[in-house]
Amino acid sequence: TGDLGASDQIGTAEVSTADAPITATTEFTHTRTCPVGGRIVVEGIRERTFDRETRSGTMDFSLTKTHENCARTVRNVTITLNGAPNVQVDAHHAWQNGAPVGLQTLSMVGAIDWATDDGREGTCTIDIQATFDPELRTRTVVGQACDRTFERKTTWRGGHR
């Protein structure tokens, strides 16, 4: 979150504009310090294809989020997070004529170790799958995070917006 800082890098962006569609691949690294010490490192790649004439394209990204002794205080208790080893996030989005098309997906898989300064500790395992289907007008989120299992499906009437 926030603006790019001195420790952020956006590297090896490759853009091809010879023919429509335009394609771009961007590798990135963002590092954030935590309120009471430590840091979070997010590294990944984004691949994007875009056709300006048809306002259509795709975007796929894959990133790894790693907590490294990331500490913050909540209600007078300091909690420290460490990747076990990390959380992997992958997503796919597509649009046509400026509107979502096809199945849009997002997944988060991994684990984070946690410890508090009052002696509690554990591991939070994460396995979340989310889909958005603009044709069926449904959004589904299923999975588990920190020993809590959930499944939520939402359907709506009207357009995609």
Side-chain angles (χ1 to χ4, degrees):
T1 62
D3 296 328
L4 292 176
S7 62
D8 293 322
Q9 297 176 354
I10 299 177
T12 61
E14 296 181 23
V15 178
S16 170
T17 59
D19 298 309
I22 296 169
T23 60
T25 300
T26 306
E27 295 179 2
F28 57 88
T29 300
H30 301 290
T31 301
R32 295 286 178 268
T33 57
C34 299
V36 184
R39 67 184 191 160
I40 298 172
V41 178
V42 177
E43 300 176 283
I45 187 168
R46 179 182 74 169
E47 298 175 329
R48 185 170 185 242
T49 302
F50 183 67
D51 186 326
R52 291 177 191 217
E53 277 187 38
T54 63
R55 295 181 10 210
S56 302
T58 61
M59 186 195 62
D60 293 283
F61 75 82
S62 180
L63 65 85
T64 302
K65 183 176 185 178
T66 305
H67 295 77
E68 298 175 351
N69 292 311
C70 179
R72 78 171 41 238
T73 301
V74 179
R75 296 186 187 120
N76 298 318
V77 175
T78 300
I79 184 167
T80 302
L81 305 177
N82 279 291
N86 54 46
V87 176
Q88 178 71 36
V89 180
D90 294 292
H92 169 77
H93 304 284
W95 59 95
Q96 191 169 39
N97 296 318
V101 63
L103 193 64
Q104 318 287 307
T105 61
L106 174 73
S107 69
M108 297 174 66
V109 178
I112 301 169
D113 288 332
W114 61 271
T116 62
D117 62 355
D118 63 4
R120 295 174 286 157
E121 63 182 35
T123 299
C124 176
T125 303
I126 301 166
D127 186 357
I128 300 171
Q129 308 298 318
T131 59
F132 166 62
D133 189 326
E135 285 88 28
L136 296 177
R137 298 184 176 126
T138 60
R139 179 179 53 233
T140 304
V141 181
V142 297
Q144 63 87 22
C146 305
D147 297 325
R148 295 177 188 235
T149 301
F150 52 88
E151 181 172 348
R152 172 108 186 200
K153 185 173 184 177
T154 306
T155 304
W156 64 94
R157 291 180 269 178
H160 68 277
R161 296 178 202 250

